[in-house]
Amino acid sequence: MSSRGNFSSKLGFILAAAGSAVGLGNIWKFPFEVADGGGAAFVLIYLAFAFILCFPVMVTEIAIGRKTQKNPVGAYAALGFKNWKFLGLMGILSGVLILSFYNVVAGWAFGYFLEMVKGNFGIGQNFSQFTNDVINVGLYGLVFMAITAFIVSKGISGGIEKAAKFLMPSLVIMILLLTFYASSLPNAMKGISYYLIPEFSEVTPEVIYNALGQAFFSLSLGMGALITYGSYISRGDNIVSSAAYITLTDVGIAFLAGLMMFPFVAYLTDGTMEGFSGGPGLIFVTLPGVFESLGSTLGIVVGALFFLLLSFAALTSTVSLLEVPVTYVVDEFKASRKTSVWLIATLIFLLGIPSLVSNGYSELFTSFITYVGASSPASFMTFVEHVGSDTLLPLGGVLITIFAAYVWKKHNLIEELRVGNPNLEGTWKEKYIDFAVSYLCPILLTLVFIFTFLGRFFGVNFF
Ligand code: PFF
């Protein structure tokens, strides 16, 4: 075993990688994007993107990681393409940016868990007051980052894998319990129909870009998180089936999150599905009202369970976001894991402070930037999200597939996929991955990337 450490089993890797994938993206973002994007119409587009375009990118990332046993920057160099180190650095930059604001929202989730335990349901109505109490939420963020750093400092099998083995099964149990409970509430069926009956008329080009962006973010693709985790797996593992389990778990949990959320909303709105706060406030503003109406004891149990679920989901993701720069520094600068972890976590926490104060507390960061053609300014937090996750991740995905197919060359990729999976040769799966990585992903991802980028930052409307 190399001194870098390793996952102790294929299951350990799958749980950790699925933990990276399942996060705030699934439980916080997915349901409100569904609500804004035509219900099941969005879900169908999302599923198609996840399996058709994202799955091949995932397989490619894991293969590059396992082949080189290196961080994203070192991986391109180890394959003999030093000029591509920029792609690894871009991935690390996106990871750092994403973690800086992600940890703030994770801190909110953790803070809400504590408020639910106290039975403070009024917090939903006071969400902006809550986020503007920057000392308090800063402290929650600090605690969350410290727990993340503690897990990462314990290494791959003793930290990340061990945590995932506890957190992931607990998360699945919690979401199942909450989904069953939500579906037993009055008007649950109205919520479920709202979720599952497609409204194709609401599908605009923007909804399509959002679905792809969401799929990339949710599957943790495009920044080398899976190159990093893949660098710690054994050559006996079957990459294609591992990636399939990770993708299925991720979309499965997102799907369940919708099944849980919309019956809650239906219950609150007496089945009208109107007048609730959608968007990012869906969870933080609307849900506490639902929990309150369940009565104090049941409300505390269900509310605390929900925000604990959200915190667990976020934690396995923040761990993977931190692991990317940590592996880079440990590999490339031969630094000690512990020192690197605490140093990098501190820097990212500090980088997150402008996001922390950008929800009303600081005028400068709240109205940070107005894009060309936009009617209102974006906050610093939203801006970092737009750059780090909505722009750099899809761009990273495009470049990774171009790299694998045309620079490293696809026969090398396929050869790596056959290691640990000799039966892959000649199957439709292999042919599909070959086709997708060579043509489908580079072309479609580039198109969507260009439309999203120009549309978002420069107000260019193509349709
Ligand atoms: N997949 C995570 C989520 O859905 O919340 C976010 C994320 C984690 C993105 C790790 C990228 C990453 F590398």
Side-chain angles (χ1 to χ4, degrees):
M1 201 174 93
S2 80
S3 57
R4 298 171 81 242
N6 264 316
F7 286 109
S8 70
S9 65
K10 180 177 168 192
L11 178 68
F13 163 66
I14 292 174
L15 287 175
S20 167
V22 173
L24 297 172
N26 303 58
I27 298 166
W28 173 55
K29 256 178 135 186
F30 181 77
F32 76 73
E33 298 225 358
V34 170
D36 293 345
F42 181 90
V43 180
L44 290 174
I45 301 169
Y46 173 80
L47 288 179
F49 280 153
F51 287 102
I52 297 173
L53 290 180
C54 294
F55 175 73
V57 179
M58 181 181 288
V59 164
T60 306
E61 282 203 24
I62 301 175
I64 293 175
R66 187 180 65 178
K67 174 79 189 168
T68 59
Q69 312 219 333
K70 285 267 186 316
N71 66 90
V73 179
Y76 296 105
L79 291 173
F81 306 99
K82 284 214 168 77
N83 292 343
W84 283 77
K85 279 164 85 173
F86 82 91
L87 184 51
L89 285 169
M90 191 176 98
I92 290 171
L93 174 70
S94 13
V96 166
L97 290 176
I98 294 174
L99 183 53
S100 75
F101 75 82
Y102 198 94
N103 186 64
V104 173
V105 183
W108 294 349
F110 178 62
Y112 260 59
F113 165 68
L114 300 178
E115 296 298 333
M116 290 298 118
V117 171
K118 287 191 260 170
N120 179 12
F121 302 113
I123 191 88
Q125 294 316 311
N126 299 321
F127 180 53
S128 47
Q129 227 167 307
F130 172 82
T131 55
N132 284 337
D133 186 350
V134 292
I135 301 292
N136 212 16
V137 281
L139 213 61
Y140 294 141
L142 192 64
V143 171
F144 210 90
M145 188 63 99
I147 299 174
T148 305
F150 176 75
I151 295 173
V152 175
S153 74
K154 296 284 172 201
I156 301 301
S157 58
I160 297 180
E161 179 173 347
K162 208 164 154 192
K165 281 184 167 159
F166 165 71
L167 294 170
M168 288 305 283
S170 323
L171 178 151
V172 172
I173 295 172
M174 287 192 272
I175 197 165
L176 285 174
L177 282 175
L178 286 166
T179 307
F180 280 123
Y181 177 69
S183 65
S184 73
L185 290 170
N187 290 317
M189 270 326 284
K190 296 218 170 93
I192 293 178
S193 350
Y194 177 86
Y195 177 41
L196 294 183
I197 296 178
E199 269 306 330
F200 286 105
S201 59
E202 283 176 32
V203 177
T204 56
E206 199 175 340
V207 168
I208 299 181
Y209 311 151
N210 283 347
L212 185 63
Q214 169 65 13
F216 248 80
F217 180 77
S218 183
L219 288 162
S220 304
L221 296 175
M223 52 163 269
L226 288 163
I227 296 183
T228 305
Y229 273 15
S231 75
Y232 295 110
I233 64 174
S234 122
R235 300 197 62 74
D237 283 356
N238 179 336
I239 293 179
V240 175
S241 72
S242 301
Y245 287 124
I246 298 163
T247 307
L248 283 170
T249 310
D250 187 60
V251 299
I253 299 284
F255 187 73
L256 278 178
L259 273 187
M260 160 181 73
M261 199 70 64
F262 293 105
F264 275 143
V265 174
Y267 174 67
L268 188 73
T269 59
D270 285 328
T272 61
M273 302 305 280
E274 269 160 26
F276 67 95
S277 166
L282 179 57
I283 277 184
F284 293 107
V285 178
T286 307
L287 282 188
V290 176
F291 303 141
E292 180 165 28
S293 59
L294 300 175
S296 65
T297 314
L298 195 59
I300 288 179
V301 173
V302 177
L305 202 62
F306 177 82
F307 285 103
L308 190 63
L309 161 74
L310 194 63
S311 305
F312 276 17
L315 185 57
T316 45
S317 299
T318 52
V319 159
S320 72
L321 285 160
L322 183 59
E323 181 58 37
V324 175
V326 165
T327 298
Y328 167 63
V329 170
V330 170
D331 279 356
E332 301 296 307
F333 304 99
K334 311 276 170 281
S336 100
R337 172 171 279 270
K338 278 209 165 54
T339 317
S340 317
V341 166
W342 290 103
L343 195 71
I344 296 172
T346 307
L347 290 176
I348 298 180
F349 176 77
L350 295 176
L351 188 66
I353 290 180
S355 289
L356 184 79
V357 299
S358 75
N359 296 283
Y361 183 79
S362 150
E363 179 49 33
L364 171 69
F365 290 114
T366 303
S367 304
F368 186 66
I369 185 169
T370 307
Y371 307 140
V372 180
S375 50
S376 53
S379 71
F380 184 83
M381 188 168 183
T382 307
F383 175 65
V384 176
E385 188 186 347
H386 287 164
V387 173
S389 90
D390 297 1
T391 308
L392 293 180
L393 294 188
L395 181 62
V398 172
L399 295 174
I400 285 169
T401 53
I402 293 177
F403 171 81
Y406 303 105
V407 180
W408 184 31
K409 300 277 189 275
K410 61 185 174 185
H411 66 91
N412 286 314
L413 167 67
I414 299 289
E415 202 173 286
E416 181 61 24
L417 295 178
R418 287 183 190 159
V419 174
N421 183 9
N423 297 334
L424 185 67
E425 188 167 352
T427 57
W428 67 269
K429 289 182 219 153
E430 188 180 85
K431 290 189 185 123
Y432 179 70
I433 292 170
D434 184 330
F435 169 71
V437 173
S438 314
Y439 308 108
L440 207 60
C441 296
I443 296 172
L444 290 181
L445 293 176
T446 303
L447 285 178
V448 175
F449 170 73
I450 293 174
F451 289 154
T452 315
F453 182 76
L454 294 179
R456 164 142 311 141
F457 295 111
F458 298 97
V460 181
N461 253 327
F462 289 88
F463 300 95

